[in-house]
Amino acid sequence: MQRVLTIALTFMLLVVASPLLHQLGLSFYAPDFGLIAVLYVAAATPLTSGMLVVFIIGLLKDAFALGSPIGLYTHIAVVVFLLARGLSGRMNIRSLVTAILVTFFASIVSSVLFLGLSAVFDRTFDSFDVILRMMLPQAMVTAPFAPILFALFDKADRVVSRKGSRTTLFR
Amino acid sequence: MIRLLKRYRATVAVFLGFSTPLFILYIHGKDQTETSILERTLAKTTAPFQNMMNDGIHFVQGVWGDYISLVGVQTENERLRERVNTLEGQAIENRRLRLENERLVELCEFRRTHSELNAVAAHVVSKDHSPYYRVVRIALDVGSEDDISEGMPVITHRGVVGRIARVTDRFADVMLSVDPRSRIDVEIAARGVSGTLEGRGDSNIYGARFFFLHRGGAIQEHDVVVTSGHDRVFPPGLVVGYVARDEERQTGVYYEYDVVPAVNFATLEEVLVVRSTRPRPPDFDRLP
């Protein structure tokens, strides 16, 4: 149930963010809510179920992303999930500062993966300069939202499981 | 097999999670000629929600846009209302000037045709009203400084207004021809009847009565009553009013008719005060 809720929340965020940011003229510097959801799943969910959740989240991102081939964001989500999972075994990535930092670097990694995968698999891709130019701004825009969304997902998890999490978010 | 999968499920999950997207990506990265089943499924899943969200955003934008438009409309409405008020004011002023111009033209024409009158033009500066909104007294912006004195006739191109009743340096009060104290020697030239016009002083209508001793021709309704000049105040031939009804009354030895004044006192703006009358040269063409 918690996994379903995480997917549903991410889906809602993508539904809201995509047209809203487009209307506000911020689609170029839109925060990557899907990436933050993947990081949250990596920190809060076991490997196997987490893999399924991020796979679905990746597919949803692919569905909302215009112009990129399907599977691109799914693969990026899986890779980021695996990297974040490896990192979460060594440090708490859900505290305020680490959440921002990890999200920042995860966004950079995501952009690099996007660039690499597009170069390999997308025959029509020719926007290398755009991705390189957008990499840092994208990470800077996304990172501040990580603690907020982590808190949101955490709250939703606690509501569903009806038990107070002993893990405090901002340690 | 199942036991093996359970044992290595993490590895399998990682392998599948890593390789499946690559496979999908490989398939969809090709130059596709048609939409795949997966793409269609994803589109069908997300499109309704995106449409709903777009509709919601457009609705909010519409409401907000309408609100902003209404604010703009309200501002424009106020601006236009002020503009209309200004233009209405200008239109009223233009109409007033046009009417004044027409009156002055008529007054000038009257002066030109009555060159024997030594008259000074004056503006009506105030009007006293009766409780029935009738003008009972008017004040002019001429006075003794303009050689105006009591008793001088006040006229317009339409007829007799009254006579000066009181004079100060720069202002003069006029006693109207309908004032009960007013007496003017008049005649109905067409009927060969002469007599006196006396104001009725009615509270609700302007009226005067024409009384005379000797009957002449039969007096008809709308007969013109003009000054006779016998009182040596009003020059002869000025229209004073019209017979209201061909209804004769007799009071003692006098016969009496009701007369309505020729001048509308309520709309008086400009008048002529006759200071003196020069004898008119005889018109030899009209002699037999």
Side-chain angles (χ1 to χ4, degrees):
Chain A
M1 186 62 188
Q2 285 169 313
R3 320 289 176 251
V4 174
L5 190 69
T6 306
I7 293 168
L9 267 176
T10 310
F11 181 69
M12 279 174 59
L13 284 170
L14 291 174
V15 166
V16 172
S18 178
L20 190 65
L21 293 169
H22 178 72
Q23 290 294 334
L24 295 172
L26 297 171
S27 49
F28 235 52
Y29 296 100
D32 190 346
F33 294 141
L35 180 76
I36 298 170
V38 167
L39 291 174
Y40 177 80
V41 173
T45 316
L47 178 67
T48 316
S49 57
M51 182 65 81
L52 184 63
V53 171
V54 296
F55 190 88
I56 295 170
I57 290 173
L59 272 180
L60 289 175
K61 272 205 74 181
D62 274 324
F64 282 106
L66 299 170
S68 59
I70 289 184
L72 184 66
Y73 281 108
T74 313
H75 190 73
I76 291 170
V78 170
V79 173
V80 170
F81 168 75
L82 291 173
L83 289 175
R85 230 188 126 68
L87 198 64
S88 67
R90 290 174 175 78
M91 60 187 291
N92 174 27
I93 64 169
R94 293 168 66 181
S95 69
L96 178 65
V97 178
T98 52
I100 292 173
L101 284 175
V102 167
T103 307
F104 180 82
F105 286 112
S107 180
I108 301 272
V109 169
S110 170
S111 295
V112 171
L113 282 170
F114 184 93
L115 201 64
L117 291 167
S118 297
V120 174
F121 291 100
D122 189 355
R123 275 74 164 167
T124 58
F125 183 74
D126 60 352
S127 308
F128 295 97
D129 56 332
V130 176
I131 301 298
L132 287 170
R133 209 169 50 240
M134 296 291 298
M135 199 181 285
L136 270 176
Q138 174 75 36
M140 288 167 75
V141 168
T142 305
F145 283 92
I148 301 165
L149 291 195
F150 279 11
L152 180 71
F153 286 125
D154 220 15
K155 179 87 176 170
D157 276 354
R158 269 183 288 177
V159 168
V160 171
S161 62
R162 293 185 178 280
K163 63 180 182 185
S165 171
R166 294 183 185 281
T167 314
T168 52
L169 183 63
F170 304 115
R171 278 189 298 197
Chain B
M1 181 68 179
I2 293 170
R3 194 186 300 163
L4 201 68
L5 276 176
K6 278 185 179 174
R7 189 174 172 185
Y8 295 105
R9 70 176 180 183
T11 313
V12 171
V14 169
F15 175 75
L16 286 177
F18 198 84
S19 58
T20 310
L22 282 178
F23 176 71
I24 297 169
L25 189 55
Y26 175 74
I27 298 293
H28 291 87
K30 287 180 181 176
D31 295 329
Q32 288 180 284
T33 52
E34 58 182 33
T35 311
S36 71
I37 296 170
L38 184 61
E39 280 175 319
R40 274 202 297 271
T41 309
L42 286 175
K44 279 182 182 173
T45 311
T46 55
F49 294 98
Q50 278 188 306
N51 281 342
M52 206 164 66
M53 189 62 200
N54 270 326
D55 289 347
I57 288 172
H58 285 135
F59 174 75
V60 173
Q61 276 184 327
V63 170
W64 181 252
D66 287 349
Y67 172 73
I68 294 295
S69 297
L70 281 177
V71 170
V73 166
Q74 190 178 351
T75 310
E76 190 178 4
N77 192 26
E78 285 171 6
R79 191 178 59 76
L80 289 173
R81 204 185 294 270
E82 282 177 18
R83 180 82 177 137
V84 166
N85 286 340
T86 307
L87 290 174
E88 277 181 349
Q90 284 178 356
I92 291 168
E93 178 64 10
N94 287 343
R95 182 174 152 76
R96 192 189 68 76
L97 289 172
R98 185 171 60 80
L99 291 172
E100 184 179 7
N101 188 47
E102 285 174 4
R103 288 194 308 269
L104 290 173
V105 166
E106 287 173 333
L107 212 56
C108 288
E109 180 63 19
F110 178 82
R111 278 191 75 167
R112 198 182 62 77
T113 55
H114 292 76
S115 56
E116 78 278 9
L117 301 177
N118 174 18
V120 60
H123 279 105
V124 175
V125 290
S126 74
K127 295 172 184 174
D128 284 348
H129 292 80
S130 78
Y132 297 93
Y133 301 101
R134 279 197 319 111
V135 174
V136 292
R137 187 182 67 91
I138 59 174
L140 307 178
D141 62 348
V142 290
S144 55
E145 288 179 355
D146 305 289
D147 297 330
I148 302 299
S149 58
E150 290 175 4
M152 285 180 172
V154 180
I155 59 174
T156 71
H157 58 285
R158 294 192 188 284
V160 172
V161 175
R163 71 180 76 185
I164 300 293
R166 194 165 46 202
V167 182
T168 60
D169 292 346
R170 290 187 296 169
F171 298 100
D173 281 348
V174 179
M175 180 172 67
L176 302 180
S177 61
V178 291
D179 192 292
R181 297 167 295 171
S182 170
R183 300 279 192 283
I184 304 172
D185 282 355
V186 294
E187 62 182 6
I188 302 177
R191 310 293 176 198
V193 179
S194 61
T196 304
L197 189 84
E198 184 183 81
R200 292 180 65 88
D202 287 341
S203 58
N204 54 353
I205 56 162
Y206 289 122
R209 56 197 182 94
F210 168 51
F211 57 94
F212 53 94
L213 274 172
H214 302 291
R215 274 179 169 165
I219 294 174
Q220 300 291 319
E221 189 176 344
H222 305 312
D223 274 352
V224 182
V225 181
V226 297
T227 52
S228 63
H230 297 156
D231 54 13
R232 296 188 175 277
V233 175
F234 288 91
L238 298 174
V239 178
V240 182
Y242 305 93
V243 174
R245 290 176 293 276
D246 53 353
E247 190 179 282
E248 188 182 81
R249 294 188 300 274
Q250 190 167 6
T251 308
V253 294
Y254 293 104
Y255 300 102
E256 190 179 303
Y257 280 87
D258 286 331
V259 173
V260 289
V263 175
N264 183 357
F265 303 110
T267 58
L268 269 182
E269 294 294 339
E270 300 87 16
V271 296
L272 292 172
V273 182
V274 181
R275 290 188 287 207
S276 62
T277 308
R278 288 185 292 271
R280 184 180 277 190
D283 188 355
F284 293 107
D285 292 340
R286 296 183 64 186
L287 290 175

